[in-house]
Amino acid sequence: MAYRLLALDIDGTLLKTNNRLDRETKEAVQFAMDKGAAVTLVTERHFHSAAKVAKALRLKYPIITHNGAFISSSIDRPIYTSKIRHDVLLQLVEFLETYQCKVRFSNEKMSVSNRSKQANLLAKMTIGVSEPLFYPVTYVDSLSDYLRENADDATDVKVELLKDNKEEMLQSLQDFFPSVQVKEEGPKAFILTRSGSSKYNGLQHLAQHVGISLLDTVAVGDSYNDLEMIEKVGLGVAMKNAPKTVRERANWITRSNDMNGVAYMLKEVFRKQMKSYV
């Protein structure tokens, strides 16, 4: 079977544990493109960070970023966005401010957080372990005051509770914000996105945009948020370093990210494929 679209996660998949993109992986991605595959990235990373990886791989197609909420080749001309609208975001922030928590909302161009006494220069320049590249964060005393003066929307809102009242907050979010979905990231942390935002939905939109069936698509990932696209494309591939549930539901399990798993898989899958143009 000829696969025409290749969707690659970044962290834990394309990159090694040390966040390096090695030469063998670059060459394998080029090999797939030479065989006629359209290649994209599907990642939780913000657009600026993912675009650096896309540039290193010399990708020609739009990339899927912010966990499926922003798809584009350039920051100013997205082909698809799925954002929490400003009016909903303001109400959401006003609600979150009634709790003791750290809140940061982001979109493809910026990130804004309520001020922390521990904030320093390094904290202002980094967005977290899953996104090691620099990204500016603006700190403000009141997020709601900021939003009353600025018409920003958000691809995601990250919340870290300072008190143990998570269940109460989650129930209230479900009751009062049906257009927002919650992804838990730890005992006291979670991410809010617009309902329906996911890597798989982003991949669906891109596949439709380029005119390729998901049955003709290979998707490769290593985490739970990759699971839906791994299950629903023509060939779903899990990294060996993926959780057991993800590996069990994949069509193919390749080597780990530290053992050139993407390069190995691509050469095996596309080795016998005749070139076909998208």
Side-chain angles (χ1 to χ4, degrees):
M1 178 178 181
Y3 292 107
R4 301 175 58 210
L5 178 60
L6 171 62
L8 300 166
D9 173 50
I10 296 180
D11 297 288
T13 300
L14 269 175
L15 303 188
K16 291 189 171 183
T17 304
N18 62 4
N19 293 312
R20 297 293 297 273
L21 178 64
D22 63 32
R23 181 172 57 85
E24 187 174 350
T25 300
K26 291 181 184 179
E27 291 175 350
V29 171
Q30 184 60 54
F31 178 72
M33 291 192 287
D34 290 343
K35 289 288 188 173
V39 181
T40 187
L41 303 177
V42 188
T43 178
E44 289 187 20
R45 288 190 178 209
H46 57 82
F47 181 80
H48 284 294
S49 177
K52 292 179 183 291
V53 181
K55 183 177 180 180
L57 293 170
R58 299 180 181 179
L59 303 188
K60 301 176 181 178
Y61 287 84
I63 56 176
I64 303 164
T65 62
H66 294 269
N67 207 37
F70 188 82
I71 306 174
S72 188
S73 294
S74 66
I75 198 163
D76 295 318
R77 295 183 179 180
I79 65 171
Y80 173 77
T81 61
S82 177
K83 298 181 181 181
I84 301 174
R85 295 193 327 261
H86 174 263
D87 57 330
V88 177
L89 181 61
L90 176 56
Q91 294 176 32
L92 183 60
V93 163
E94 288 175 335
F95 166 75
L96 293 173
E97 286 178 336
T98 64
Y99 290 83
Q100 291 186 27
C101 58
K102 296 178 183 177
V103 181
R104 183 181 72 227
F105 70 84
S106 303
N107 58 37
E108 72 281 4
K109 294 183 178 180
M110 43 74 75
S111 186
V112 183
S113 174
N114 55 352
R115 196 178 305 279
S116 168
K117 294 180 180 179
Q118 289 77 34
N120 53 35
L121 180 60
L122 181 62
K124 292 180 181 180
M125 291 301 294
T126 58
I127 197 168
V129 258
S130 65
E131 295 177 282
L133 300 179
F134 289 116
Y135 186 70
V137 180
T138 299
Y139 286 87
V140 297
D141 291 321
S142 169
L143 285 174
S144 56
D145 286 348
Y146 172 90
L147 285 170
R148 292 186 189 99
E149 298 176 0
N150 298 273
D152 294 330
D153 47 23
T155 52
D156 60 81
V157 180
K158 299 188 179 184
V159 181
E160 180 183 349
L161 287 170
L162 303 179
K163 293 181 65 178
D164 191 15
N165 51 3
K166 180 178 173 182
E167 295 305 320
E168 173 192 336
M169 178 185 278
L170 293 180
Q171 185 60 55
S172 296
L173 285 169
Q174 182 179 343
D175 292 341
F176 299 114
F177 297 94
S179 64
V180 173
Q181 64 188 16
V182 180
K183 173 191 171 187
E184 297 187 43
E185 284 215 324
K188 294 185 179 181
F190 47 91
I191 297 178
L192 308 174
T193 57
R194 182 178 174 182
S195 291
S197 291
S198 69
K199 287 185 174 183
Y200 172 70
N201 285 344
L203 184 56
Q204 276 188 307
H205 282 280
L206 179 65
Q208 184 177 18
H209 178 76
V210 298
I212 298 176
S213 169
L214 288 178
L215 295 177
D216 299 328
T217 298
V218 180
V220 192
D222 75 303
S223 59
Y224 290 110
N225 61 13
D226 299 313
L227 181 56
E228 187 177 14
M229 69 174 185
I230 286 174
E231 287 185 305
K232 294 183 177 180
V233 298
L235 180 65
V237 180
M239 306 298 291
K240 188 176 181 180
N241 49 287
K244 181 180 179 182
T245 301
V246 178
R247 298 197 310 271
E248 288 177 340
R249 299 186 189 179
N251 303 116
W252 181 309
I253 302 172
T254 189
R255 299 170 182 172
S256 73
N257 60 322
D258 287 328
M259 295 294 291
N260 296 314
V262 169
Y264 172 76
M265 181 277 302
L266 292 181
K267 290 175 182 177
E268 288 295 309
V269 170
F270 289 95
R271 180 166 49 91
K272 298 181 180 180
Q273 180 163 308
M274 300 295 291
K275 185 169 183 178
S276 61
Y277 293 93
V278 177

